[in-house]
Amino acid sequence: MRRLVAETRLTVDDLVAPLFVREGISEPAPIESLPGVVQHTRESLRREVAELAALGVPGVILFGVPADKDDQGSGAWDPDGIVQLALGDLRAEVGGDVVLMADLCLDEYTSHGHCGLIGSNGDVDNDATLELYRRVAVAQADAGADVCAPSGMMDGQVGAIRGALDGAGATDVAILAYAAKYASSLYGPFRDAVGVEISGGNGVAGDRRGYQQDWHNARESLVEVRADVTEGADMVMVKPALSYLDVIAATRETVDVPLAAYHVSGEYAMVHAAAQRGWVDLDAVALEQISAIRRAGADFVLTYFARHLAELLTVGGQR
Ligand code: PBG
């Protein structure tokens, strides 16, 4: 009876796996603050994505960890940059069986850890950054990405990327816009995974409050979401997920494009930390949390639990 009347179902079709690929390592490297997640080599990434495909996971999103960073983040658009090489590998490995998404940002590649170019006043220069994002989009499309997912929260980024992709003939490459992305304290383990320390200038720690959203605000998200759809976003995302279920629900009411939500690194790490102490049941909490994100209105969820949930759901059917 419960199965018959369930309003929300979670299936493997709802999951996207975030994956890290690191340049210049010969063995996968565990990430201490993200139990079960590794920085992949090109070869281990290829195997992981083949296994995810066999489990029926429909999409992955790639993040690169370059061997060297510079003040512009040039590894992000280098045709031989780690994500571009990995996209080529994966296209050859899985063909069209898995949607290949590429996170489109500079922070993994910049020496200062910001998502954009630093201007002469020490702040991120929005419009100069858009020029670099255009290069990244074309490089990712050339390498075989199905979807570019701009996560830097620069104003006008979706329009700029759409223009660059179309200009390069990549009219089929879709855009998943990180539309409502908050300046959250839940990204810490991710920053460990990609080796990012945000500089505030003069040797002090910085933050992203200049370009990511203030978590006091919800209506502001709808302004961001509408702007991204107007600029050509094919899908939009809310991030993080659990502290923003109201924003997910409001976004679902506001636009008709597919809606994603990102269950981020800190959300995942907290479940693991509590489960390790025996304080919560990992599988039960993972199913409850990711289902709640679906219940709030997300069509699909980016989650580090993707593989584990795919295994649970493949055995247990939909939950
Ligand atoms: C930026 C980006 C971040 C995440 C995804 N894309 C980090 C940030 O904004 O600092 C975080 C994802 C997570 O915490 O799981 N390229």
Side-chain angles (χ1 to χ4, degrees), residues 18 20 34 61 63 103-108 113 115 149-152 178 181-184 186-191 194 196 198 208 211-212 239-240 262-268 304:
F20 302 99
L34 281 177
I61 182 162
F63 297 92
D103 183 81
L104 195 164
C105 197
L106 297 178
D107 66 319
E108 295 92 3
C115 298
S151 66
Y178 286 70
K181 176 173 175 181
Y182 284 86
S184 170
L186 290 161
Y187 306 146
F190 173 94
R191 292 177 190 161
V194 294
V196 166
I198 306 169
R208 305 207 195 292
Y211 37 102
Q212 298 181 348
K239 176 187 172 186
Y262 200 145
H263 184 258
V264 300
S265 58
E267 299 178 281
Y268 172 89
Y304 303 97

Side-chain angles (χ1 to χ4, degrees), residues 27 34 62 78 177 276 281 284:
E27 291 294 325
L34 281 177
L62 298 188
D78 182 346
Q276 267 169 22
D281 175 331

Side-chain angles (χ1 to χ4, degrees), residues 266-290:
E267 299 178 281
Y268 172 89
M270 288 193 294
V271 180
H272 266 281
Q276 267 169 22
R277 295 183 154 206
W279 290 353
V280 300
D281 175 331
L282 185 95
D283 291 359
V285 174
L287 282 166
E288 182 177 338
Q289 291 196 344
I290 305 304

